[in-house]
Amino acid sequence: MNIASLAPLAVVLPILGAALTFLLIRHSRAQRGVSIGLLSLTLLLECLLLASAWSGGTTAVTIGGWVPPFGIVMVVDQFSSLMLVVSSAVSLAVLIYATGQGMADGDEDAPVSIFHPTYLILVAGVSNAFLSGDLFNLYVGFEILLTASYVLMTLGGTGPRIRAGVTYVVVSVVSSVLFLIAIAMVYGATGTVNMADLAIKLGELDQGTKTLLHVMLLVAFGIKAAVFPLSFWLPDSYPTAPAPVTAVFAGLLTKVGVYAMVRTETLLFPGDTLNTPLMVAALLTMVVGILGALAQSDIKRLLSFTLVSHIGYMVFGLAMSSAVGLAAAVFYVAHHITIQTSLFLVTGLIERRGGSSSVDRLGGLAKLSPMLALLFFIPGMNLAGIPPFSGFLGKVGLMQAGIELGTPLAYALVIGGVVTSLLTLLAIARVWNRAFWRRPTDAEHPDSVLLATPGTRASGPGAKANSTVTLLPRTMVGSTAGLVALGVALSVFAGPLFGLSDRAARDMLERTPYIHAVLGEGTAVPGAAAGTSTGGGTR
C-alpha cells in the first residue's frame, strides 16, 4: 500500500482527537493524554508522508472515489509534506508547553477544558490547507483553522483579548470573503476549482481576466500572510493571547497564507506577471516590519513586528520566479515556523519568571535563569541570521537568487534583506542587554516577582495577590528546549533540507509532477517544455 494514500488521516486524526477530548471535557488528565497521543501519531504519519514524497514523487488522493476535477483531491508533494511535518512538530511542542502551564498553575492563561478540542481543530485546518488540491477545499481549511483561532485568541475573556479578537475576526472575515469571491469568479471563468485543472484552463483566458483573478487571490492571501500593507492587524492581535496560543499563531497561521501564495503563484499563475509588485511588497514588508520592531519595548510586540518583517523574506524568494529563490523561500518558511514559535514560547517563560514581557521591567535574567538565557539566545541569533544558523543559510540563498536575477529592484531587495537582518540583530541585542544582561535593580520599573527569590512571596506595589516566585516548570522548559533543538537541527541538517527544498521548488516551477499526479500522465501541461529548463522532472 502506498503510504501517501493515508494522507487524509493527517486531517481526520486531529478531528477525531478533538471529538474525544470534547467528550472527556471533565477529565483533564485523559484530555491531555488523548490530545498529545493523537498529535504524536499524526506527526509520525506525516513523517512517513514526507519520506514517501521524497522517494516516490507527487501523489494525489481522491476522496470518495470521485475522479478529478469533480471531487475533492488531496495532493502530497515534497512542499506540502514538509509543511505538514514542521507544523505538526511545532504544534506538538506548543501543546506540551500549554499542558505544562496548565498543570503548573491553572490561572486564566492556562488551557481551559475547551482548549484541547479547539487546538486540535486548528491543527486539522492547517493540515487540510496544506494538502488541499482545489481552491474551495483550501478555503474550507482556512475557515476551520480561523474558527478555532477565534476561540483560542479570546481564552480567558479579558478586555484586551476581546478587543484584539474583534480586530482579528473582522480582518479574517474580510480576507475570507475576498477569497470566496475570488473562488466564485474563478469558477465562473473556468468552470472548475481543481488547482491542477485550473493550471491548464487559466492559460486559455484573456490576460485581463487572468490578471484580475490573480490579484484577487493575492490580496486575499496577502491579508492572511500579513504582507505589507495588509499586515496592520497582526501586531495588535497576537500579543494579547496566552503565550502558547500566540506562539502557534505566529508560527503557523501566517505561513498557511504564504503557502497558499506559493502554491497559486507557481501552479496557477506561472511566469513573472506580478513579480514587480511582489518585490516591492516584499521590500516594504521587511523594512517597515523591522522598523516597527525597533520601536517596541514589549518583547511580544517586538516579535510580532519581526514576524511581519520576515514574511518579506519569503515573498522575496517567491518573487524571484527562479528555482534558487523558491528553494530558499521553502527553506526559510520551515526555518521561520520553528524559530518564531520558539521565541514566543521563551517569551512566555520570561513573563513567568520576570513578571512581565516589557524590557522596561526586566533585568538580570541571565543570572537568575541561565537556561532561560540560553533558550532565548540561540533562536534569537538564528532569527537574526548569524552564521552558521539556518536563518543565515536561508538568507544567503535568497541573496544569491536576487543577485542572479540582477535587476535594480532585485538588488534593492538584497540590500533591504541585509539591512533587515542587521536591524533584527539590533532588536534582539537590545532585548538581551536590557532583559538578561543588566542588573534587575537597573530596570526602569522592575516587577516585584523579578526581585524576589524563587519560592518566596513577591511583595511591593506591583505584586499580585498571593503571588509567589516559582521555578520554571520542567514541562514548559522541556518543550521549549525541544523546539530550540529542532531549530538547531535545521542548521545541522541544512544540506539535506536544502536538497529537499530545491527538489520541491523545481517540481513546483515545472508543474508537470503535480498536474500529472492529479489528472493523469497523459494530460498536456502548458509551458512544460519551458518549465523543464529549471531542472525539474517527473520522477
Side-chain angles (χ1 to χ4, degrees), residues 196-288:
D197 201 27
L198 282 171
I200 298 171
K201 293 184 177 179
L202 282 171
E204 301 170 359
L205 300 178
D206 64 271
Q207 189 58 45
T209 303
K210 187 176 177 180
T211 301
L212 175 61
L213 298 176
H214 192 175
V215 171
M216 287 286 291
L217 289 172
L218 266 184
V219 171
F221 296 146
I223 295 174
K224 296 180 185 298
V227 176
F228 184 86
L230 307 172
S231 56
F232 64 91
W233 57 272
L234 191 150
D236 291 327
S237 299
Y238 284 9
T240 61
V245 174
T246 303
V248 78
F249 280 16
L252 295 185
L253 298 197
T254 52
K255 308 312 183 300
V256 179
V258 171
Y259 173 88
M261 290 178 67
V262 171
R263 185 65 77 188
T264 53
E265 285 297 299
T266 55
L267 183 61
L268 305 187
F269 305 102
D272 56 0
T273 307
L274 294 181
N275 277 12
T276 298
L278 278 175
M279 289 184 192
V280 172
L283 180 59
L284 291 175
T285 302
M286 287 190 292
V287 174
V288 173

Side-chain angles (χ1 to χ4, degrees), residues 50 78-79 81-87 89-90 130 251-252 255 258 314 326-342 382 390-391 394 483 486-487 490-491 497-498 500-501:
L50 178 59
Q78 294 178 74
F79 185 33
S81 55
L82 174 63
M83 292 299 98
L84 285 173
V85 170
V86 175
S87 65
V90 165
F130 287 148
L252 295 185
K255 308 312 183 300
V258 171
M314 303 167 206
L326 189 57
V330 171
F331 180 91
Y332 204 83
V333 170
H335 146 83
H336 196 258
I337 289 174
T338 308
I339 300 307
Q340 195 76 46
T341 308
S342 302
N382 205 335
S390 56
L483 203 52
L486 178 60
L490 294 182
S491 305
L497 182 57
F498 248 119
L500 174 65
S501 301

Side-chain angles (χ1 to χ4, degrees), residues 326-387:
L326 189 57
V330 171
F331 180 91
Y332 204 83
V333 170
H335 146 83
H336 196 258
I337 289 174
T338 308
I339 300 307
Q340 195 76 46
T341 308
S342 302
L343 284 169
F344 272 104
L345 290 186
V346 174
T347 303
L349 296 177
I350 291 173
E351 199 168 27
R352 187 179 185 89
R353 179 60 187 91
S356 174
S357 60
S358 172
V359 292
D360 294 336
R361 301 174 65 86
L362 295 171
L365 289 176
K367 183 177 181 180
L368 294 175
S369 180
M371 173 60 75
L372 184 57
L374 182 65
L375 292 178
F376 178 83
F377 182 81
I378 293 175
M381 293 299 99
N382 205 335
L383 183 71
I386 301 300

